[in-house]
Amino acid sequence: MTVEQSTAAASDRAAAPQDSPPGSTARFRGTAYTLLILLTGTNVATPLYHGYAHRFGFSPLVMTLVFAVYMGVLIPALLIAGPASDALGRRRILLPALVLAALGTLGFALATDVAWLFAARILQGLAVGAASGALTAALTELEPHGSRRRAALVSAVASAGGMGLGPVLGAVLAQYLPAPYVTPFMVELALLVPAVVAVAALPETAVVSRWRPRRPSIPAGMGAVFAAAGTGAFLGFAVVGVFLTLIPTYAATLSGSTNLVIGGAAAALLPTAWAAAQLVGYGKPERALDFTGFPLLAVGLVLLAVAGAVSSLPLLLFATVLAGAGHGLVFLSGLTAINAAAPADRHADVLSTYFVMAYCGSGGPVIGVGLLAGATGLLAAVQIFAAVVAVLCVVRLVARVAVEARRQRLHECDGAHVGLPIVAGGCLLLGARCRR
């Protein structure tokens, strides 16, 4: 066991209660289920969008806007609901969020034109934005043994599981059962019922402060941790967003099949690899996760560009597995670091800001690729995106190496104040002490 693992284990043991409260394991599992099903619901429609375009007669640009409006409401909801759940309690935020999720799912089932899709995606964005930070914080609070590392793993795997389960569930139900544009959403509504019961059974957290809207901020002393974690989340989710947007269409085109399950399974491959990598990486030092995850992300991007150029489905699937595994490790690294460093009274607040970085990565680059494709063609746009993000992954690693080397030199001396400017993820971090 490494020093970092020993330290983390000791920290977990110190935080653990002597006896877990009655029902804590069931509440922890219920919270994880809620996160899983909430994110499943936002992805059930993924294999159906191509069919919606034919049914309602809208263009690829409109499709991009349907995705964009989800992110447009999710991010403000994250920023508002995270601090609110810290101040008002988890349950008071999560129950309304699940109601919004149910209404969004119902909107898809009743859709008769593209306006319904916009409305449904807005409701889903509000639900996920309101619930993400609160659910992740609740998992940390409810982990039966007080292990923040395990809570981070469960949160990350549940998120990946929802993103993987949604497309497969939607594709299988739409392909093999009647009413393909209704049945998947009725099943999702049924799956939300146990989630509501689980949230209703949560212990209400104490009100710790009077809540009022405020601009996002990072607690003192967390700047370096958040900059590193947020940069990784942005780059990783940029890759996820582009892959999940392209994979169903790519897989259907390269396979020559119209079966929805092929596109849905291909889309699920990335989050499946994401979750598997996190299970393998659990307990590993945060640094090791970074230095394995970013290279996998970069190689996956390069292979994505090559797969499109040579029209190779096996290469596309291999690129998807590599990118998914890389993102899983990077995301687990960041979430573990945030969970460990965030103060208890601002836990959901900080997590929500972290998720904002992630969702900005998931939404913005996809729209950029779509706009670029109008001028250069889709293949060229994807190749440009892959090259840029792969280079940024390498830069992120090089920056970490440089920062660590600089810190090592500073630790070898003591005394006089010198400035240490470090640019990481757009944040300027200052301050170290050394005597020459």
Side-chain angles (χ1 to χ4, degrees), residues 399-412:
R400 175 162 186 163
V401 171
V403 169
E404 289 178 350
R406 179 65 169 169
R407 285 175 178 168
Q408 181 62 34
R409 290 195 298 270
L410 291 172
H411 288 161
E412 292 172 356

Side-chain angles (χ1 to χ4, degrees), residues 33-139:
Y33 172 86
T34 301
L35 181 59
L36 171 73
I37 294 305
L38 185 65
L39 290 172
T40 296
T42 66
N43 292 281
V44 163
T46 297
L48 302 177
Y49 281 119
H50 186 67
Y52 280 129
H54 282 289
R55 290 183 76 198
F56 302 150
F58 56 81
S59 67
L61 176 60
V62 173
M63 179 70 71
T64 301
L65 294 175
V66 170
F67 279 97
V69 74
Y70 172 81
M71 294 297 172
V73 298
L74 185 151
I75 291 172
L78 270 170
L79 293 174
I80 293 172
S85 77
D86 284 332
L88 305 177
R90 311 294 179 219
R91 213 167 51 194
R92 295 181 185 179
I93 300 300
L94 290 174
L95 286 175
L98 291 176
V99 172
L100 291 174
L103 291 174
T105 299
L106 188 61
F108 273 107
L110 299 175
T112 55
D113 57 40
V114 71
W116 282 86
L117 303 185
F118 275 105
R121 290 295 281 175
I122 288 172
L123 290 169
Q124 288 185 334
L126 290 171
V128 173
S132 293
L135 283 172
T136 305
L139 283 170

Side-chain angles (χ1 to χ4, degrees), residues 165 191 279 312:
L165 178 60
L191 293 174
L279 290 172
S312 170

